[in-house]
Amino acid sequence: PLQGLKTWKQYAQDKDLPHPAAPLAGNIIDNTNNESLSDKISIFNGDITNLKIDAIVNAANSRLKRGGGVDGAIHKAAGKYLQDECDSLNGCETGHAKITGGYELPAKYVLQTVGPRGEQPEALKACYLNTLRLATENNIRSVAFPCISTGIYGYPNEAAAHVAVYNVRKFLERESDKIDRVIFCIFLEVDKNIYQQVLQTYFPVV
Ligand code: ADP
């Protein structure tokens, strides 16, 4: 199911990306186990609805009503029964996450999370951590995240990438045995470079 996806480590080595000289000030990087953690991270450039993995994450709205952006793409690819299931869930608060089926998607599940509008780091952090916790509670071992809140909700891309990658790192430091792969699904050119840089910071490839 993960065919064709390189780990972050393979990706960085193929591109000959340098190891960062020093972590950014204030970052807590504990190099214990770093090698195996980097092996659990991938970048995927493209449409998240194509991924045949356990779960893809949706940047949903609090009513769980089909909208635009990645949410529209996921509903379109999943078919109408996804909205029916969403309608039975009584919405979802910002920073929280709920699980639905994947229906006609290649992914088995959709983890619906609601990002903040604008730059609200605590709420965005909650999205990543609550989504990963929901994944592990459901024996989901491979998860792909879109760049939550950075589209219609207007979170600045680089700031959002730091929150995303840092908190995935912190989660994996605690629970890496429950997750095989976390994929950052990059849809826009602007996020490609940002994620390459940010991943080198939090998942340095030695
Ligand atoms: P939000 O409302 O949380 O900002 P958006 O869907 O507007 O959500 O944007 C979140 C990110 O998802 C943006 O980077 C956007 O370019 C990206 N995106 C849009 N369509 C897709 C898709 N089919 N697959 C993956 N990412 C997508």
Side-chain angles (χ1 to χ4, degrees):
L2 296 170
Q3 253 176 3
L5 272 180
K6 287 179 180 171
T7 66
W8 161 244
K9 192 174 164 192
Q10 291 163 333
Y11 183 95
Q13 282 168 351
D14 286 359
K15 295 209 165 210
D16 209 17
L17 296 174
H19 183 272
L24 296 179
N27 290 340
I28 309 156
I29 294 196
D30 150 19
N31 270 318
T32 332
N33 246 344
N34 175 50
E35 210 167 331
S36 59
L37 292 187
S38 295
D39 279 341
K40 290 177 186 275
I41 299 294
S42 296
I43 292 181
F44 173 73
N45 293 302
D47 185 340
I48 202 165
T49 64
N50 290 329
L51 288 170
K52 188 177 179 183
I53 55 177
D54 289 348
I56 62 172
V57 178
N58 186 17
N61 55 58
S62 58
R63 293 178 307 135
L64 299 180
K65 289 292 185 196
R66 178 175 181 162
V70 70
D71 183 54
I74 288 173
H75 276 279
K76 183 168 183 219
K80 65 178 162 52
Y81 297 113
L82 176 60
Q83 186 63 62
D84 292 344
E85 186 178 3
C86 285
D87 288 345
S88 74
L89 296 178
N90 200 23
C92 182
E93 285 171 48
T94 301
H96 291 227
K98 291 193 175 176
I99 186 168
T100 63
Y103 299 92
E104 291 170 46
L105 287 164
K108 283 183 233 163
Y109 297 98
V110 180
L111 301 171
Q112 312 275 350
T113 189
V114 181
R117 296 172 192 254
E119 188 169 356
Q120 296 186 55
E122 285 305 315
L124 191 61
K125 168 186 176 178
C127 285
Y128 283 90
L129 294 181
N130 285 327
T131 299
L132 287 168
R133 196 182 57 204
L134 184 62
T136 57
E137 284 168 1
N138 288 280
N139 299 316
I140 287 166
R141 300 194 61 89
S142 51
V143 187
F145 284 97
C147 303
I148 299 167
S149 282
T150 63
I152 297 159
Y153 281 4
Y155 205 116
N157 296 63
E158 189 170 355
H162 277 278
V163 173
V165 180
Y166 175 78
N167 286 295
V168 167
R169 163 90 202 193
K170 295 315 277 178
F171 186 89
L172 288 182
E173 282 175 11
R174 295 193 301 268
E175 315 236 21
S176 75
D177 56 316
K178 296 186 188 131
I179 295 276
D180 293 332
R181 191 84 72 107
V182 176
I183 298 152
F184 293 103
C185 178
I186 310 301
F187 198 66
L188 299 179
E189 208 57 41
V190 56
D191 284 314
K192 279 188 194 170
N193 291 331
I194 291 175
Y195 269 79
Q196 249 176 33
Q197 292 295 323
V198 172
L199 279 165
Q200 281 185 69
T201 301
Y202 300 108
F203 291 93
V205 171
V206 198

